[in-house]
Amino acid sequence: MASGIKDKVAILGMGCAKFGERYDCGPEDLVNEAFQECIKDAGIGTNDIQAAWCGNQYLTESTGLSATPLSVMLRLNNIPTTRVENMCCTGTEAFRGATYAVASGAVDIALAVGVEKLKDSGYGGLPGASMGPKDDLWWPGLSAPGAFAQLASAYRAKHKVSKEDLKKAIAHVSWKSHQNGVKNPKAHLQKAVSMEQIMAAPMIAEPLGLFDCCGVSDGSACAIVTTPEIARSLGKKDLVSVKALQLSNSNGLEMGHKSWDGSYFVTTRTAAKRAYQEAGIKNPREELSMFEVHDCFSITEFVTYEDLFISPEGGALKDVMDGFYDADGKIPCQIDGGLKCFGHPIGASGLRMIYEMYLQLLGRAGERQLKNPRFGLTHNLGGFPHRNVCGMSIIGRLES
Amino acid sequence: MSSVGITAYGGYIPRLRMSRKSIAQANVWVDPGLMAHAKSERSMCDYDEDTITMAVEAGRDCTRGMNRQNIESVFMASTTMPFDDRQNSTVVAEALGLKENIATLDVSHSQRAATSGLSAALKGISANGGETLFVASEQRQTKCATPKELLYGDAAAAITLGTGNLIARFLGANSINVDMVDHFRSKGARFDYEWEERWIREEGYFKIVPAAVKGVLEKTGIAPGSIDHFVLPCVIRGVRETLAKKMGMKPEAVRDNLMAGCGETGAAHSLVMLVDALQDAKPGEKLLVVGFGQGADALLFEATEKIGDLSPRKGIKGSLINGIIETNYQKFLSFKNLVPIEWGMRAESGARKTRMTAMYRDRKMFNSLVGGKCTQCGTIQFPKAHICVNPDCRAVDGMDDHCLAESKSRIASYTVDWLAYTPNPPLLFGMVEFDEGAKFMMQFTGCKPEEVEVGVPMEMVFRIKTDDKGLDFKNYFWKATPVVQN
């Protein structure tokens, strides 16, 4: 049996640009902002990097085909540089490429960059993307909030939850993230909002109102990874290592088979089981210190609590209302403000989540710092509940 | 000549009904006379309906409980077909899941397209036999602030023709050709140009129609007084009544021209009125159907004793009920493509270039809603795939075609999407689960947000999926609509 990724790779440095409507920046500016912080943190030179992965979803919006633009903008030393795309898991996918390269022994030090420039599109939303000539002909021309909103009706039907109770719970999910975002200078939205504001906001896709949806932002984040041995040889004392890296893609069951009831993510449940096993976590509700989930919409975060086996099946509502996931709760979720406050520059999001977990593990999260965290989990969900890809990482302090 | 005639009928009137009062009130500043027509409602196509989709629905209604594989030919009559060069009746035939080796034909270019086509189709059957589906469908377009905008409507009707099990026997037909330009629409024009109504009445209806009718009565030896149902579309006040009197028909034979809830549906209207008449006809009653336009056609039928045995269907009468009244004139104009609405950039990505090759490869899937049934485990699935979706099966390349268009289904999840582009916000869609097993996400249409909830029974309707503005092309697919209880 495969031995897994646990503790084979350490994070040498990370960086993250200020997220937001960065009309002042192109993708090269955003990448540079994140990269300069990252390489300084790593304490190495650009020529020490032996391979790089650049995550970027929209071909038409940021840097185009291949990762050569990344190599050009960072003046990489003609090293192998690859563009990766896996929808909303793109940032995590770039991190997976770099981590696996180091773990394989093919290279000593690798770079993962995620970037997305969304605010050149001309409007407030994600640019349209083709599903291919066949599926474009029959899939409903749905919006992202519309796709995810259906989780709510299916969840209500399954667990006999009233419209009002579920709306209040998902409003709390967004309220909590906004509270956290206030303390994060890199977040796009750094403003608290009241429950009343959230509940009364205009409807986007029933039952998701404006505040149930994450923002649209430009952003970039990156990581440099190496082996724990090399990290120590470079003078790093407190090490953060990768405990698990998982990816799970739909195989068509959701959109084609009666066994899926539409109220949860098949892939998240699969990836979570594999990730816990890889990381050696037996009881996530007891062992996880914090986590960042893909809160593209409040309802996504809500059902993900159960899909990660932290809340029991049907128990998310009680946990949310008990404040279990609030900053002062048992397992804070979205301590950095989440997609809710950072927006979702697709290629950057996964790495931005890992960045926050990394800061927290090293005690560098400033005002948001949690007490003595041990494991942090990140979760991305690309596509729709009906057909998607889930990416997951668990990182933690490397016990020597 | 063996006995030929009508074996079944069906009808379709869009559920949307535009309030005539709303149209009149918006335009009364142009023409105060419009208020004279401000009664009841006229039918209007939903944003995703056109003559093809209406023809399909009328065809489905008509062929209810019938083995469609027996149909040997399809005729479609309309002057408002979506395509000038792409056979519209072929799309209808595929949507109905008919077999491939049949004849299809579009008939157009006159208000009497339906009656002329019907006459030709009946002559063909007399000679060669074979079950024929004949549909007529019209989506009318007028300028704003004309009486016609209030008087016209959109609808379709269908009948099947054959030699056995007749519900109405064909007695004979007569046609007269006269190039009288009462109105015209030149190639590429959007609107009709019309000449004076009084002239059309005096020189047209009062002279040409009697000549056509006289011919068929003489051919068949039927006395005008024995006509029980006189079908003649005409919006000019009093014409039908005067004609009946002039020709010696009973006043009560004059059929209602369906202005309440429907309106005059152009080339489709003679067939629409005929289906309405068949729904009333008793065995032995005679029906005279007239189409007028550059001459006139007159066809004579006699209802048989089998007319009462036809299985339940909507027809025109059933389609008239359950309308949804629309009072927003601006919306009516937008659906008729008469006002440019700013839909935002999101609408630009709403229609991606249609690839004809991709559409062709999977046309059964798009046109006929054909999925797959696994020959190993029996799981019904959509789309049909190489490998079975059932996790416990995974059989490779063992799937039969399975059509879901007439299958029972219900909503499994839904949303009301105010962000996605649709010409009729909000976009309603969700997962639809079929009793037989298939399950997939589809658009909902013909319903209001408050009508959707998990568990609501749905039925399939053939609609415009995307209006590809770039190519000026429409592609069709099936959508789900709540089952309407009649």
Side-chain angles (χ1 to χ4, degrees), chain A residues 129 136 138-139 143 146 149-150 153 204-206 251 255 258 260, chain B residues 352 365 394 413-418 429-430 433 439 441 465:
Chain A
D136 282 349
W138 71 280
W139 268 63
S143 74
Q150 292 167 77
S153 61
I204 303 295
E206 155 73 31
N251 61 22
M255 263 288 268
K258 259 188 166 174
W260 185 62
Chain B
R352 289 170 195 101
M365 171 185 171
R394 299 297 194 224
S413 69
Y414 72 94
T415 188
V416 179
D417 192 335
W418 285 97
F429 59 90
E433 188 171 324
K439 184 171 187 173
M441 191 163 36
K465 164 69 169 63

PDB file of all heavy atoms in Angstrom, chain A residues 129 136 138-139 143 146 149-150 153 204-206 251 255 258 260, chain B residues 352 365 394 413-418 429-430 433 439 441 465:
ATOM      1  N   ALA A 129     -17.848  29.954 -19.055  1.00  0.00           N
ATOM      2  CA  ALA A 129     -16.891  28.965 -19.536  1.00  0.00           C
ATOM      3  C   ALA A 129     -17.663  27.851 -20.223  1.00  0.00           C
ATOM      4  O   ALA A 129     -18.744  27.478 -19.788  1.00  0.00           O
ATOM      5  CB  ALA A 129     -16.085  28.399 -18.380  1.00  0.00           C
ATOM      6  N   ASP A 136     -22.769  21.877 -23.547  1.00  0.00           N
ATOM      7  CA  ASP A 136     -23.342  23.225 -23.717  1.00  0.00           C
ATOM      8  C   ASP A 136     -24.738  23.164 -24.331  1.00  0.00           C
ATOM      9  O   ASP A 136     -25.535  24.069 -24.159  1.00  0.00           O
ATOM     10  CB  ASP A 136     -22.448  24.086 -24.626  1.00  0.00           C
ATOM     11  CG  ASP A 136     -21.236  24.625 -23.875  1.00  0.00           C
ATOM     12  OD1 ASP A 136     -21.203  24.501 -22.630  1.00  0.00           O
ATOM     13  OD2 ASP A 136     -20.322  25.166 -24.528  1.00  0.00           O
ATOM     14  N   TRP A 138     -27.116  21.003 -23.695  1.00  0.00           N
ATOM     15  CA  TRP A 138     -28.246  20.528 -22.884  1.00  0.00           C
ATOM     16  C   TRP A 138     -28.191  20.924 -21.416  1.00  0.00           C
ATOM     17  O   TRP A 138     -29.238  20.955 -20.762  1.00  0.00           O
ATOM     18  CB  TRP A 138     -28.425  19.013 -23.035  1.00  0.00           C
ATOM     19  CG  TRP A 138     -27.378  18.162 -22.389  1.00  0.00           C
ATOM     20  CD1 TRP A 138     -26.151  17.874 -22.871  1.00  0.00           C
ATOM     21  CD2 TRP A 138     -27.485  17.483 -21.134  1.00  0.00           C
ATOM     22  NE1 TRP A 138     -25.474  17.056 -22.004  1.00  0.00           N
ATOM     23  CE2 TRP A 138     -26.282  16.792 -20.933  1.00  0.00           C
ATOM     24  CE3 TRP A 138     -28.490  17.387 -20.159  1.00  0.00           C
ATOM     25  CZ2 TRP A 138     -26.039  16.017 -19.798  1.00  0.00           C
ATOM     26  CZ3 TRP A 138     -28.245  16.608 -19.028  1.00  0.00           C
ATOM     27  CH2 TRP A 138     -27.030  15.934 -18.858  1.00  0.00           C
ATOM     28  N   TRP A 139     -27.041  21.244 -20.881  1.00  0.00           N
ATOM     29  CA  TRP A 139     -27.019  21.678 -19.475  1.00  0.00           C
ATOM     30  C   TRP A 139     -27.777  22.993 -19.350  1.00  0.00           C
ATOM     31  O   TRP A 139     -27.667  23.863 -20.208  1.00  0.00           O
ATOM     32  CB  TRP A 139     -25.571  21.875 -18.995  1.00  0.00           C
ATOM     33  CG  TRP A 139     -25.014  20.639 -18.360  1.00  0.00           C
ATOM     34  CD1 TRP A 139     -24.819  19.436 -18.986  1.00  0.00           C
ATOM     35  CD2 TRP A 139     -24.599  20.468 -16.996  1.00  0.00           C
ATOM     36  NE1 TRP A 139     -24.303  18.544 -18.080  1.00  0.00           N
ATOM     37  CE2 TRP A 139     -24.157  19.135 -16.862  1.00  0.00           C
ATOM     38  CE3 TRP A 139     -24.562  21.312 -15.878  1.00  0.00           C
ATOM     39  CZ2 TRP A 139     -23.684  18.627 -15.635  1.00  0.00           C
ATOM     40  CZ3 TRP A 139     -24.081  20.806 -14.672  1.00  0.00           C
ATOM     41  CH2 TRP A 139     -23.655  19.482 -14.555  1.00  0.00           C
ATOM     42  N   SER A 143     -26.276  29.740 -13.223  1.00  0.00           N
ATOM     43  CA  SER A 143     -25.202  30.514 -12.602  1.00  0.00           C
ATOM     44  C   SER A 143     -24.609  29.659 -11.494  1.00  0.00           C
ATOM     45  O   SER A 143     -25.215  28.684 -11.045  1.00  0.00           O
ATOM     46  CB  SER A 143     -25.755  31.812 -12.013  1.00  0.00           C
ATOM     47  OG  SER A 143     -26.484  31.545 -10.829  1.00  0.00           O
ATOM     48  N   GLY A 146     -26.812  29.551  -8.501  1.00  0.00           N
ATOM     49  CA  GLY A 146     -27.976  28.713  -8.785  1.00  0.00           C
ATOM     50  C   GLY A 146     -27.656  27.233  -8.634  1.00  0.00           C
ATOM     51  O   GLY A 146     -28.466  26.462  -8.127  1.00  0.00           O
ATOM     52  N   ALA A 149     -27.218  26.567  -4.867  1.00  0.00           N
ATOM     53  CA  ALA A 149     -28.426  26.852  -4.085  1.00  0.00           C
ATOM     54  C   ALA A 149     -29.307  25.617  -3.946  1.00  0.00           C
ATOM     55  O   ALA A 149     -30.013  25.460  -2.951  1.00  0.00           O
ATOM     56  CB  ALA A 149     -29.218  27.980  -4.747  1.00  0.00           C
ATOM     57  N   GLN A 150     -29.263  24.731  -4.957  1.00  0.00           N
ATOM     58  CA  GLN A 150     -30.129  23.537  -4.909  1.00  0.00           C
ATOM     59  C   GLN A 150     -29.826  22.623  -3.736  1.00  0.00           C
ATOM     60  O   GLN A 150     -30.654  21.833  -3.320  1.00  0.00           O
ATOM     61  CB  GLN A 150     -29.954  22.735  -6.190  1.00  0.00           C
ATOM     62  CG  GLN A 150     -30.487  23.439  -7.401  1.00  0.00           C
ATOM     63  CD  GLN A 150     -30.010  22.758  -8.656  1.00  0.00           C
ATOM     64  OE1 GLN A 150     -30.513  21.728  -9.039  1.00  0.00           O
ATOM     65  NE2 GLN A 150     -29.001  23.314  -9.275  1.00  0.00           N
ATOM     66  N   SER A 153     -32.517  23.161  -1.016  1.00  0.00           N
ATOM     67  CA  SER A 153     -33.833  22.523  -1.112  1.00  0.00           C
ATOM     68  C   SER A 153     -33.723  21.031  -0.835  1.00  0.00           C
ATOM     69  O   SER A 153     -34.587  20.444  -0.181  1.00  0.00           O
ATOM     70  CB  SER A 153     -34.461  22.790  -2.482  1.00  0.00           C
ATOM     71  OG  SER A 153     -33.671  22.279  -3.515  1.00  0.00           O
ATOM     72  N   ILE A 204     -30.224  36.224  -4.716  1.00  0.00           N
ATOM     73  CA  ILE A 204     -29.456  35.939  -5.928  1.00  0.00           C
ATOM     74  C   ILE A 204     -29.975  34.636  -6.544  1.00  0.00           C
ATOM     75  O   ILE A 204     -30.337  34.587  -7.716  1.00  0.00           O
ATOM     76  CB  ILE A 204     -27.943  35.802  -5.622  1.00  0.00           C
ATOM     77  CG1 ILE A 204     -27.413  37.053  -4.941  1.00  0.00           C
ATOM     78  CG2 ILE A 204     -27.164  35.489  -6.904  1.00  0.00           C
ATOM     79  CD1 ILE A 204     -27.439  38.315  -5.752  1.00  0.00           C
ATOM     80  N   ALA A 205     -29.966  33.582  -5.754  1.00  0.00           N
ATOM     81  CA  ALA A 205     -30.560  32.298  -6.188  1.00  0.00           C
ATOM     82  C   ALA A 205     -31.120  31.662  -4.923  1.00  0.00           C
ATOM     83  O   ALA A 205     -30.354  31.277  -4.042  1.00  0.00           O
ATOM     84  CB  ALA A 205     -29.519  31.405  -6.850  1.00  0.00           C
ATOM     85  N   GLU A 206     -32.390  31.595  -4.859  1.00  0.00           N
ATOM     86  CA  GLU A 206     -33.133  31.092  -3.703  1.00  0.00           C
ATOM     87  C   GLU A 206     -32.470  29.853  -3.098  1.00  0.00           C
ATOM     88  O   GLU A 206     -32.257  28.878  -3.834  1.00  0.00           O
ATOM     89  CB  GLU A 206     -34.572  30.810  -4.172  1.00  0.00           C
ATOM     90  CG  GLU A 206     -35.380  29.785  -3.408  1.00  0.00           C
ATOM     91  CD  GLU A 206     -35.820  30.286  -2.061  1.00  0.00           C
ATOM     92  OE1 GLU A 206     -36.024  31.499  -1.942  1.00  0.00           O
ATOM     93  OE2 GLU A 206     -35.909  29.480  -1.135  1.00  0.00           O
ATOM     94  N   ASN A 251     -17.744  10.948 -10.808  1.00  0.00           N
ATOM     95  CA  ASN A 251     -17.735  10.013 -11.939  1.00  0.00           C
ATOM     96  C   ASN A 251     -19.087   9.961 -12.619  1.00  0.00           C
ATOM     97  O   ASN A 251     -19.376   9.035 -13.379  1.00  0.00           O
ATOM     98  CB  ASN A 251     -17.277   8.623 -11.490  1.00  0.00           C
ATOM     99  CG  ASN A 251     -18.189   8.030 -10.435  1.00  0.00           C
ATOM    100  OD1 ASN A 251     -19.347   8.425 -10.307  1.00  0.00           O
ATOM    101  ND2 ASN A 251     -17.685   7.091  -9.676  1.00  0.00           N
ATOM    102  N   MET A 255     -25.123  13.233 -11.200  1.00  0.00           N
ATOM    103  CA  MET A 255     -26.034  13.693 -12.253  1.00  0.00           C
ATOM    104  C   MET A 255     -26.747  12.540 -12.937  1.00  0.00           C
ATOM    105  O   MET A 255     -27.520  12.759 -13.871  1.00  0.00           O
ATOM    106  CB  MET A 255     -25.256  14.484 -13.309  1.00  0.00           C
ATOM    107  CG  MET A 255     -25.297  15.972 -13.127  1.00  0.00           C
ATOM    108  SD  MET A 255     -26.904  16.696 -13.522  1.00  0.00           S
ATOM    109  CE  MET A 255     -26.677  17.118 -15.256  1.00  0.00           C
ATOM    110  N   LYS A 258     -29.809   7.519  -9.050  1.00  0.00           N
ATOM    111  CA  LYS A 258     -30.788   7.821  -8.007  1.00  0.00           C
ATOM    112  C   LYS A 258     -30.189   7.883  -6.602  1.00  0.00           C
ATOM    113  O   LYS A 258     -30.784   8.475  -5.708  1.00  0.00           O
ATOM    114  CB  LYS A 258     -31.867   6.740  -8.008  1.00  0.00           C
ATOM    115  CG  LYS A 258     -33.139   7.170  -8.715  1.00  0.00           C
ATOM    116  CD  LYS A 258     -34.226   6.145  -8.505  1.00  0.00           C
ATOM    117  CE  LYS A 258     -35.578   6.719  -8.894  1.00  0.00           C
ATOM    118  NZ  LYS A 258     -36.646   5.755  -8.860  1.00  0.00           N
ATOM    119  N   TRP A 260     -27.906   9.495  -5.261  1.00  0.00           N
ATOM    120  CA  TRP A 260     -27.514  10.798  -4.722  1.00  0.00           C
ATOM    121  C   TRP A 260     -28.759  11.654  -4.509  1.00  0.00           C
ATOM    122  O   TRP A 260     -29.559  11.814  -5.438  1.00  0.00           O
ATOM    123  CB  TRP A 260     -26.551  11.509  -5.673  1.00  0.00           C
ATOM    124  CG  TRP A 260     -26.014  12.789  -5.138  1.00  0.00           C
ATOM    125  CD1 TRP A 260     -25.249  12.946  -4.023  1.00  0.00           C
ATOM    126  CD2 TRP A 260     -26.197  14.102  -5.699  1.00  0.00           C
ATOM    127  NE1 TRP A 260     -24.934  14.277  -3.848  1.00  0.00           N
ATOM    128  CE2 TRP A 260     -25.509  15.018  -4.862  1.00  0.00           C
ATOM    129  CE3 TRP A 260     -26.855  14.604  -6.816  1.00  0.00           C
ATOM    130  CZ2 TRP A 260     -25.469  16.392  -5.108  1.00  0.00           C
ATOM    131  CZ3 TRP A 260     -26.821  15.971  -7.067  1.00  0.00           C
ATOM    132  CH2 TRP A 260     -26.134  16.835  -6.213  1.00  0.00           C
TER     133      TRP A 260
ATOM    134  N   ARG B 352     -23.180  29.849 -26.418  1.00  0.00           N
ATOM    135  CA  ARG B 352     -21.901  29.533 -27.040  1.00  0.00           C
ATOM    136  C   ARG B 352     -22.167  28.978 -28.424  1.00  0.00           C
ATOM    137  O   ARG B 352     -23.215  28.399 -28.662  1.00  0.00           O
ATOM    138  CB  ARG B 352     -21.150  28.530 -26.177  1.00  0.00           C
ATOM    139  CG  ARG B 352     -20.678  29.216 -24.925  1.00  0.00           C
ATOM    140  CD  ARG B 352     -20.122  28.293 -23.883  1.00  0.00           C
ATOM    141  NE  ARG B 352     -20.067  29.082 -22.660  1.00  0.00           N
ATOM    142  CZ  ARG B 352     -20.948  28.995 -21.691  1.00  0.00           C
ATOM    143  NH1 ARG B 352     -21.913  28.120 -21.735  1.00  0.00           N
ATOM    144  NH2 ARG B 352     -20.858  29.788 -20.643  1.00  0.00           N
ATOM    145  N   MET B 365     -30.481  12.438 -28.399  1.00  0.00           N
ATOM    146  CA  MET B 365     -30.461  12.908 -27.016  1.00  0.00           C
ATOM    147  C   MET B 365     -31.123  14.283 -26.910  1.00  0.00           C
ATOM    148  O   MET B 365     -31.975  14.513 -26.059  1.00  0.00           O
ATOM    149  CB  MET B 365     -29.003  12.979 -26.557  1.00  0.00           C
ATOM    150  CG  MET B 365     -28.757  13.635 -25.244  1.00  0.00           C
ATOM    151  SD  MET B 365     -26.951  13.748 -24.981  1.00  0.00           S
ATOM    152  CE  MET B 365     -26.938  14.787 -23.530  1.00  0.00           C
ATOM    153  N   ARG B 394     -21.394  -1.043 -13.961  1.00  0.00           N
ATOM    154  CA  ARG B 394     -20.270  -0.617 -14.805  1.00  0.00           C
ATOM    155  C   ARG B 394     -20.122  -1.434 -16.089  1.00  0.00           C
ATOM    156  O   ARG B 394     -19.011  -1.593 -16.618  1.00  0.00           O
ATOM    157  CB  ARG B 394     -18.931  -0.640 -14.029  1.00  0.00           C
ATOM    158  CG  ARG B 394     -18.882   0.279 -12.812  1.00  0.00           C
ATOM    159  CD  ARG B 394     -19.039   1.738 -13.179  1.00  0.00           C
ATOM    160  NE  ARG B 394     -18.672   2.610 -12.067  1.00  0.00           N
ATOM    161  CZ  ARG B 394     -19.373   3.677 -11.690  1.00  0.00           C
ATOM    162  NH1 ARG B 394     -20.483   3.995 -12.322  1.00  0.00           N
ATOM    163  NH2 ARG B 394     -18.978   4.435 -10.695  1.00  0.00           N
ATOM    164  N   SER B 413     -34.407  18.661  -6.510  1.00  0.00           N
ATOM    165  CA  SER B 413     -33.827  19.869  -5.914  1.00  0.00           C
ATOM    166  C   SER B 413     -34.074  21.002  -6.907  1.00  0.00           C
ATOM    167  O   SER B 413     -34.321  20.754  -8.084  1.00  0.00           O
ATOM    168  CB  SER B 413     -32.328  19.709  -5.649  1.00  0.00           C
ATOM    169  OG  SER B 413     -31.610  19.661  -6.858  1.00  0.00           O
ATOM    170  N   TYR B 414     -34.046  22.224  -6.441  1.00  0.00           N
ATOM    171  CA  TYR B 414     -34.347  23.320  -7.346  1.00  0.00           C
ATOM    172  C   TYR B 414     -33.732  24.616  -6.806  1.00  0.00           C
ATOM    173  O   TYR B 414     -33.299  24.680  -5.654  1.00  0.00           O
ATOM    174  CB  TYR B 414     -35.866  23.535  -7.479  1.00  0.00           C
ATOM    175  CG  TYR B 414     -36.473  24.142  -6.227  1.00  0.00           C
ATOM    176  CD1 TYR B 414     -36.648  25.524  -6.100  1.00  0.00           C
ATOM    177  CD2 TYR B 414     -36.820  23.334  -5.159  1.00  0.00           C
ATOM    178  CE1 TYR B 414     -37.164  26.073  -4.935  1.00  0.00           C
ATOM    179  CE2 TYR B 414     -37.337  23.882  -3.992  1.00  0.00           C
ATOM    180  CZ  TYR B 414     -37.509  25.254  -3.882  1.00  0.00           C
ATOM    181  OH  TYR B 414     -38.002  25.793  -2.732  1.00  0.00           O
ATOM    182  N   THR B 415     -33.712  25.629  -7.644  1.00  0.00           N
ATOM    183  CA  THR B 415     -33.430  26.973  -7.169  1.00  0.00           C
ATOM    184  C   THR B 415     -34.135  27.967  -8.078  1.00  0.00           C
ATOM    185  O   THR B 415     -34.642  27.612  -9.137  1.00  0.00           O
ATOM    186  CB  THR B 415     -31.931  27.268  -7.095  1.00  0.00           C
ATOM    187  OG1 THR B 415     -31.750  28.530  -6.437  1.00  0.00           O
ATOM    188  CG2 THR B 415     -31.324  27.360  -8.480  1.00  0.00           C
ATOM    189  N   VAL B 416     -34.158  29.177  -7.609  1.00  0.00           N
ATOM    190  CA  VAL B 416     -34.725  30.296  -8.357  1.00  0.00           C
ATOM    191  C   VAL B 416     -33.551  31.250  -8.569  1.00  0.00           C
ATOM    192  O   VAL B 416     -33.108  31.912  -7.654  1.00  0.00           O
ATOM    193  CB  VAL B 416     -35.832  30.976  -7.529  1.00  0.00           C
ATOM    194  CG1 VAL B 416     -36.412  32.153  -8.281  1.00  0.00           C
ATOM    195  CG2 VAL B 416     -36.921  29.975  -7.171  1.00  0.00           C
ATOM    196  N   ASP B 417     -33.009  31.242  -9.780  1.00  0.00           N
ATOM    197  CA  ASP B 417     -31.724  31.892 -10.040  1.00  0.00           C
ATOM    198  C   ASP B 417     -31.931  33.268 -10.683  1.00  0.00           C
ATOM    199  O   ASP B 417     -32.391  33.367 -11.816  1.00  0.00           O
ATOM    200  CB  ASP B 417     -30.921  30.970 -10.974  1.00  0.00           C
ATOM    201  CG  ASP B 417     -29.460  31.367 -11.097  1.00  0.00           C
ATOM    202  OD1 ASP B 417     -29.154  32.553 -10.881  1.00  0.00           O
ATOM    203  OD2 ASP B 417     -28.633  30.495 -11.406  1.00  0.00           O
ATOM    204  N   TRP B 418     -31.568  34.307  -9.931  1.00  0.00           N
ATOM    205  CA  TRP B 418     -31.733  35.674 -10.439  1.00  0.00           C
ATOM    206  C   TRP B 418     -30.478  36.192 -11.133  1.00  0.00           C
ATOM    207  O   TRP B 418     -30.456  37.309 -11.640  1.00  0.00           O
ATOM    208  CB  TRP B 418     -32.107  36.635  -9.301  1.00  0.00           C
ATOM    209  CG  TRP B 418     -33.527  36.480  -8.875  1.00  0.00           C
ATOM    210  CD1 TRP B 418     -33.994  35.739  -7.818  1.00  0.00           C
ATOM    211  CD2 TRP B 418     -34.697  37.046  -9.495  1.00  0.00           C
ATOM    212  NE1 TRP B 418     -35.364  35.810  -7.755  1.00  0.00           N
ATOM    213  CE2 TRP B 418     -35.822  36.605  -8.761  1.00  0.00           C
ATOM    214  CE3 TRP B 418     -34.893  37.866 -10.609  1.00  0.00           C
ATOM    215  CZ2 TRP B 418     -37.126  36.970  -9.094  1.00  0.00           C
ATOM    216  CZ3 TRP B 418     -36.187  38.223 -10.941  1.00  0.00           C
ATOM    217  CH2 TRP B 418     -37.286  37.778 -10.190  1.00  0.00           C
ATOM    218  N   PHE B 429     -34.566  26.056 -12.319  1.00  0.00           N
ATOM    219  CA  PHE B 429     -34.028  24.764 -12.750  1.00  0.00           C
ATOM    220  C   PHE B 429     -33.747  23.912 -11.530  1.00  0.00           C
ATOM    221  O   PHE B 429     -33.814  24.384 -10.400  1.00  0.00           O
ATOM    222  CB  PHE B 429     -32.750  24.926 -13.577  1.00  0.00           C
ATOM    223  CG  PHE B 429     -31.636  25.631 -12.856  1.00  0.00           C
ATOM    224  CD1 PHE B 429     -30.713  24.919 -12.116  1.00  0.00           C
ATOM    225  CD2 PHE B 429     -31.528  27.010 -12.897  1.00  0.00           C
ATOM    226  CE1 PHE B 429     -29.676  25.572 -11.444  1.00  0.00           C
ATOM    227  CE2 PHE B 429     -30.502  27.666 -12.222  1.00  0.00           C
ATOM    228  CZ  PHE B 429     -29.582  26.937 -11.496  1.00  0.00           C
ATOM    229  N   GLY B 430     -33.436  22.665 -11.771  1.00  0.00           N
ATOM    230  CA  GLY B 430     -33.110  21.779 -10.659  1.00  0.00           C
ATOM    231  C   GLY B 430     -32.940  20.360 -11.132  1.00  0.00           C
ATOM    232  O   GLY B 430     -33.031  20.070 -12.329  1.00  0.00           O
ATOM    233  N   GLU B 433     -35.947  13.887 -11.050  1.00  0.00           N
ATOM    234  CA  GLU B 433     -35.782  12.442 -10.909  1.00  0.00           C
ATOM    235  C   GLU B 433     -36.967  11.743 -11.567  1.00  0.00           C
ATOM    236  O   GLU B 433     -38.113  12.070 -11.288  1.00  0.00           O
ATOM    237  CB  GLU B 433     -35.713  12.086  -9.427  1.00  0.00           C
ATOM    238  CG  GLU B 433     -35.358  10.643  -9.189  1.00  0.00           C
ATOM    239  CD  GLU B 433     -35.084  10.359  -7.713  1.00  0.00           C
ATOM    240  OE1 GLU B 433     -34.521  11.219  -7.020  1.00  0.00           O
ATOM    241  OE2 GLU B 433     -35.476   9.266  -7.273  1.00  0.00           O
ATOM    242  N   LYS B 439     -31.954  10.564 -13.655  1.00  0.00           N
ATOM    243  CA  LYS B 439     -31.949  11.753 -12.817  1.00  0.00           C
ATOM    244  C   LYS B 439     -30.945  12.726 -13.394  1.00  0.00           C
ATOM    245  O   LYS B 439     -29.791  12.359 -13.618  1.00  0.00           O
ATOM    246  CB  LYS B 439     -31.510  11.330 -11.413  1.00  0.00           C
ATOM    247  CG  LYS B 439     -31.537  12.420 -10.389  1.00  0.00           C
ATOM    248  CD  LYS B 439     -31.310  11.827  -9.012  1.00  0.00           C
ATOM    249  CE  LYS B 439     -31.496  12.890  -7.965  1.00  0.00           C
ATOM    250  NZ  LYS B 439     -31.448  12.338  -6.617  1.00  0.00           N
ATOM    251  N   MET B 441     -30.103  17.312 -14.187  1.00  0.00           N
ATOM    252  CA  MET B 441     -30.482  18.696 -13.945  1.00  0.00           C
ATOM    253  C   MET B 441     -31.057  19.293 -15.222  1.00  0.00           C
ATOM    254  O   MET B 441     -30.486  19.166 -16.289  1.00  0.00           O
ATOM    255  CB  MET B 441     -29.268  19.492 -13.483  1.00  0.00           C
ATOM    256  CG  MET B 441     -29.632  20.855 -12.966  1.00  0.00           C
ATOM    257  SD  MET B 441     -28.359  21.652 -11.972  1.00  0.00           S
ATOM    258  CE  MET B 441     -26.854  21.185 -12.722  1.00  0.00           C
ATOM    259  N   LYS B 465     -33.727  25.778 -26.366  1.00  0.00           N
ATOM    260  CA  LYS B 465     -32.749  25.758 -25.285  1.00  0.00           C
ATOM    261  C   LYS B 465     -31.928  27.042 -25.322  1.00  0.00           C
ATOM    262  O   LYS B 465     -31.779  27.730 -24.341  1.00  0.00           O
ATOM    263  CB  LYS B 465     -31.848  24.520 -25.435  1.00  0.00           C
ATOM    264  CG  LYS B 465     -30.551  24.512 -24.641  1.00  0.00           C
ATOM    265  CD  LYS B 465     -30.816  24.398 -23.138  1.00  0.00           C
ATOM    266  CE  LYS B 465     -29.535  24.112 -22.361  1.00  0.00           C
ATOM    267  NZ  LYS B 465     -28.541  25.174 -22.448  1.00  0.00           N
TER     268      LYS B 465
END
